[in-house]
């Protein structure tokens, strides 16, 4: 009983492979399995004969359908030629328009344009660098409050307390009493 349960899934699997075996598209290992099963099981061999017969009928039907006539092909091409030329709708996408413009240029024109653009970028970078270098050489260090850099100038703080002045010890800074 247990052996029959194990053989049933394998038999179904082999039966599912019969159309591909008949067409000759199975791998060598699967084809060997199908051949061994056909040799063991006469019912499977009968079904394989039915599959081969169906495959032969399908091939025969497809061959008798025939191909379209030359007149049909000429008629199709005449209809295609009679169609009005379709222009693509104008696009508002700047990227596609720029791409189409660049694609219309010849390679030599595109190369010269790219060279001129690179030269303009290098010249602009040179001018900007020159301006920045001149600005840093002429000006020195300045504070935001005053242009003087003398010690003690510009560093004042005003404060108010409710305690008597005698209770607050004086703040001593280095170099100043």
């Amino acid at each position: 009983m247990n052996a029959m349960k194990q053989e049933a899934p394998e038999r179904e699997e082999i039966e599912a492979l019969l159309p591909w075996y008949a067409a000759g598209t199975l791998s060598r290992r699967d084809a060997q399995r199908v051949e061994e099963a056909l040799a063991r099981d006469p019912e499977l061999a009968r079904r394989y004969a039915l599959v081969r017969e169906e495959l032969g009928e399908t091939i025969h039907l497809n061959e008798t359908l025939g191909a379209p006539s030359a007149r049909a092909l000429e008629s199709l091409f005449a209809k295609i030629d009679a169609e009005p030329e379709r222009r693509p709708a104008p696009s508002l996408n700047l990227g596609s328009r720029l791409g189409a413009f660049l694609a219309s240029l010849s390679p030599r024109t595109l190369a010269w344009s790219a060279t001129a653009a690179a030269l303009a970028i290098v010249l602009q970078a040179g001018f900007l660098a020159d301006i920045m270098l001149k600005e840093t050489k002429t000006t020195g260090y300045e504070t935001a409050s005053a242009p003087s850099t003398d010690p003690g100038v510009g560093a004042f703080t005003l404060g108010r307390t409710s305690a008597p002045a005698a209770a607050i010890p004086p703040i001593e800074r280095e170099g100043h009493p």
Side-chain angles (χ1 to χ4, degrees), residues 46-134:
R46 186 185 70 78
R47 290 184 185 221
Y48 175 63
L50 290 174
V51 167
R52 286 192 51 133
E53 183 180 334
E54 185 179 345
L55 178 65
E57 289 297 320
T58 303
I59 291 172
H60 176 70
L61 176 66
N62 286 336
E63 287 176 350
T64 58
L65 287 177
S69 67
R71 190 169 20 117
L73 185 64
E74 290 173 9
S75 171
L76 174 67
F77 283 141
K79 288 178 183 177
I80 290 173
D81 290 339
E83 285 283 322
E85 183 180 342
R86 296 182 183 174
R87 295 195 176 265
S91 173
L92 297 177
N93 187 357
L94 182 62
S96 64
R97 291 174 61 192
L98 180 64
F101 171 72
L102 291 176
S104 69
L105 296 176
S106 70
R108 181 171 289 180
T109 304
L110 193 58
W112 280 110
S113 301
T115 303
L119 183 62
I121 290 171
V122 168
L123 285 173
Q124 184 180 18
F127 287 135
L128 291 174
D130 186 44
I131 291 170
M132 291 303 293
L133 289 176
K134 283 182 183 175

Side-chain angles (χ1 to χ4, degrees), residues 7 10 37 56 62 70 75 110 117 119 145 153 155 158 168:
E7 288 181 12
E10 182 180 340
N62 286 336
S75 171
L110 193 58
L119 183 62
S145 61
V153 176
L158 297 176
I168 301 175

